[in-house]
Amino acid sequence: MAAISKVLEDDDLLSEILIRTIFTTTLLNSALVCTRWLAHASNRAFLHRFREIHPPRLLGFYINKGQNTPHFIPILPQPRELTAVIRRATSSLGTYQRVPSVPTYILGCRNGNVLIRQHDKIGTTFAVHNVVCPERGMDILPPFPRPQSPYLFDGTAYSRIMSKEEGDALSYLYVLMHQTTDGKHRVYIYILKHGIWRMNHSLIIQRPPRPWSVLKSVLSNNKIYVPAGWSNIIVLDLAASSFSIIELPEGMEYGERNTILSQADDVAGVYLIHVKKFQLRIWLHNGYTWLLMDTIYLREMCADLSMADGNASLLINQAGDNAEFVFLDRGQCTFLLDIKRRTMHKVYEKEDGDKFFCEIHPLMMIWPPVFPALKDDPTRFVF
C-alpha cells in the first residue's frame, strides 16, 4: 500500500494514469475519486493534452425521415464505457414528441445539444434539447425577429439558425437575408442573449446564396461561409462586420449534393469536401488560397462493399468537423467514410416507404466534460 500511495502521490504519474482513461466518461468518474484527482483532470493544460490524444468520437447520428419522428442510429461497435451515453441518446428521442401528431424535425446537433423544429396548428416552435440531461426539458427559443424596412422585398431569400461554441457552452445566431429593392441583399445577424434576439451585424452583399445553401453554410472561426452562384462562397466576417467572396478551386462547380463545407477547429479557415464519381477531395481555404489536403479513391471501397445500384452516383449527405468523416448516400443506402482510417461501411438503409431525403446530424462525444465545481480554481472548465 505504501508503494501504491507513493505512486499516486506523484503528480506526473497521476497525469499519465488519467490520460490513459481514454474516454471522457471514464475521466469524469476518475475525477470523482478525490479533490486532488479532480483538480488534475479539470486542469486546462491536461484537457488540451487529453483532447489531442483522445479527440471526441462519433457516437451515432440523428436522421430526419420526412415528417416522422427522428431516429437515432448508433455507430457500432462502441466500447462498453459509452453504453450509458448511447442509451441516453436513443431514449431521449421520446421527449421530442410533445404531441404524437406533431411533426418533429432536427435542424442541428452540436456538443450534445439538439436543435429541433416542431409545427402544429398554433405555429412553429424551435427548441434546444440536451441529450445528456434530458430531464431538463427543452429550452424554447423566442420568436425570430423580422426587420422592417421600405427597401426590402417581401419574402426571405435565406435564413438559418447556427450555433457557436463559447467555452463549454453554446450560443445561437440567427442569419436572415432579404433582397432589397435595388437587387442587392441585406444580411441581418442576430445573437441570442438572455432570451432575446439582439442585432449583431447588418450589411449589404451583392450576390445571393444558392437556393439550397440553407443546408450547406457553416460557421467556422467566427466567419459564416455561404455557397453562392455556381462556384462562389460568401464569407461573412462577424468580427470585422464585413463580407468577401471566394471562388471554389479551379474547375469546380456546385452540383447535386457533390460539395459540402466543414467547420475547421484545428486551423484557421474552412474545409471543402467534393466528390466526383469515385473520387473524393478535401480542400482547405486558409484565408488566402485553397490547399488540396487529401484525395481518396472510392472505387475499391465500393467494390468491397458490393454496393447495389451500380449506376447510382455517390452523394454527400453530411460531414464532420475538420473533415474527419463524411456520410455518403448511394441509392437506398448511407455509408460512413472515415477519412483518417480510410474505411467505409454501411450505416443506414432506407425502408420501402421512405420517399424523402433522409438528412443526417452526427452526435459527437461531448467536450469538455462537466466537472463538479472546485472553489478558487482558475483552471477548471476552461478549454
Side-chain angles (χ1 to χ4, degrees):
M1 291 295 294
I4 295 176
S5 298
K6 186 176 181 179
V7 169
L8 295 180
E9 288 173 0
D10 186 309
D11 288 347
D12 293 335
L13 286 176
L14 177 57
S15 294
E16 291 303 315
I17 292 171
L18 292 175
I19 207 74
R20 285 166 171 77
T21 56
I22 302 178
F23 306 106
T24 52
T25 50
T26 311
L27 176 65
L28 182 57
N29 290 334
S30 302
L32 299 178
V33 170
C34 63
T35 55
R36 178 168 166 267
W37 285 37
L38 175 58
H40 276 273
S42 58
N43 178 270
R44 177 191 300 181
F46 174 82
L47 287 175
H48 268 287
R49 185 182 172 210
F50 190 95
R51 176 163 179 154
E52 287 179 356
I53 299 174
H54 312 296
R57 64 188 293 141
L58 176 64
L59 300 176
F61 58 93
Y62 293 98
I63 187 165
N64 290 312
K65 299 175 59 178
Q67 295 184 347
N68 297 327
T69 305
H71 292 260
F72 178 75
I73 311 294
I75 299 296
L76 301 174
Q78 292 282 2
R80 60 183 179 85
E81 290 86 351
L82 301 179
T83 301
V85 179
I86 297 292
R87 187 186 306 118
R88 192 169 297 178
T90 304
S91 61
S92 66
L93 280 170
T95 63
Y96 293 165
Q97 285 293 76
R98 298 174 298 170
V99 181
S101 60
V102 176
T104 302
Y105 193 81
I106 293 182
L107 299 176
C109 179
R110 181 161 293 277
N111 211 22
N113 292 285
V114 180
L115 178 64
I116 68 172
R117 180 186 68 204
Q118 293 185 318
H119 184 75
D120 56 22
K121 295 180 180 179
I122 299 176
T124 302
T125 300
F126 295 85
V128 179
H129 176 79
N130 189 290
V131 175
V132 176
C133 301
E135 62 275 5
R136 295 179 182 175
M138 295 187 296
D139 294 326
I140 306 299
L141 299 184
F144 298 124
R146 294 187 61 85
Q148 300 295 324
S149 171
Y151 303 105
L152 298 179
F153 279 127
D154 291 335
T156 302
Y158 169 90
S159 65
R160 176 77 187 272
I161 311 171
M162 311 188 82
S163 59
K164 178 183 177 183
E165 294 188 35
E166 295 182 341
D168 60 346
L170 285 180
S171 62
Y172 287 90
L173 292 89
Y174 178 57
V175 183
L176 182 67
M177 189 179 299
H178 276 285
Q179 185 176 356
T180 61
T181 53
D182 59 357
K184 299 178 181 179
H185 287 74
R186 178 171 287 278
V187 181
Y188 299 89
I189 301 174
Y190 301 85
I191 188 167
L192 186 61
K193 290 185 176 181
H194 308 297
I196 300 174
W197 290 109
R198 300 184 183 278
M199 175 80 75
N200 191 263
H201 298 286
S202 175
L203 57 144
I204 293 286
I205 64 174
Q206 304 292 333
R207 303 186 186 184
R210 292 190 62 78
W212 43 257
S213 59
V214 64
L215 300 175
K216 305 296 181 180
S217 57
V218 299
L219 173 62
S220 183
N221 295 293
N222 222 29
K223 295 179 180 179
I224 299 175
Y225 296 82
V226 184
W230 288 105
S231 58
N232 299 112
I233 300 174
I234 300 171
V235 184
L236 305 174
D237 191 322
L238 300 182
S241 296
S242 63
F243 84 97
S244 58
I245 302 290
I246 58 177
E247 295 185 357
L248 295 182
E250 186 177 357
M252 186 184 299
E253 288 187 350
Y254 296 118
E256 182 187 0
R257 290 170 53 200
N258 68 344
T259 308
I260 195 168
L261 300 174
S262 170
Q263 176 176 321
D265 292 332
D266 50 356
V267 293
V270 67
Y271 288 101
L272 182 145
I273 303 171
H274 181 81
V275 64
K276 184 177 182 180
K277 295 184 178 180
F278 291 98
Q279 179 178 273
L280 184 141
R281 287 187 171 183
I282 300 174
W283 299 78
L284 171 68
H285 196 278
N286 60 5
Y288 304 98
T289 187
W290 288 105
L291 304 174
L292 180 60
M293 307 300 291
D294 204 349
T295 301
I296 303 176
Y297 297 96
L298 303 171
R299 185 181 296 276
E300 187 174 336
M301 294 184 188
C302 293
D304 291 341
L305 291 169
S306 301
M307 289 186 178
D309 298 321
N311 295 324
S313 300
L314 284 168
L315 305 174
I316 297 176
N317 188 308
Q318 191 56 270
D321 292 348
N322 304 313
E324 293 179 350
F325 57 83
V326 185
F327 287 94
L328 296 168
D329 292 337
R330 194 178 194 219
Q332 294 290 102
C333 300
T334 300
F335 300 85
L336 172 61
L337 172 64
D338 188 314
I339 302 298
K340 184 178 295 184
R341 294 183 175 87
R342 289 295 201 273
T343 60
M344 187 165 69
H345 65 281
K346 185 170 74 173
V347 293
Y348 182 73
E349 184 171 358
K350 288 184 179 180
E351 300 173 356
D352 293 338
D354 292 342
K355 297 181 180 180
F356 300 93
F357 163 57
C358 297
E359 184 184 359
I360 281 176
H361 297 281
L363 173 65
M364 306 295 296
M365 192 66 194
I366 295 172
W367 185 266
V370 181
F371 295 102
L374 278 178
K375 293 183 179 179
D376 302 322
D377 182 4
T379 65
R380 66 183 177 90
F381 302 123
V382 182
F383 178 72

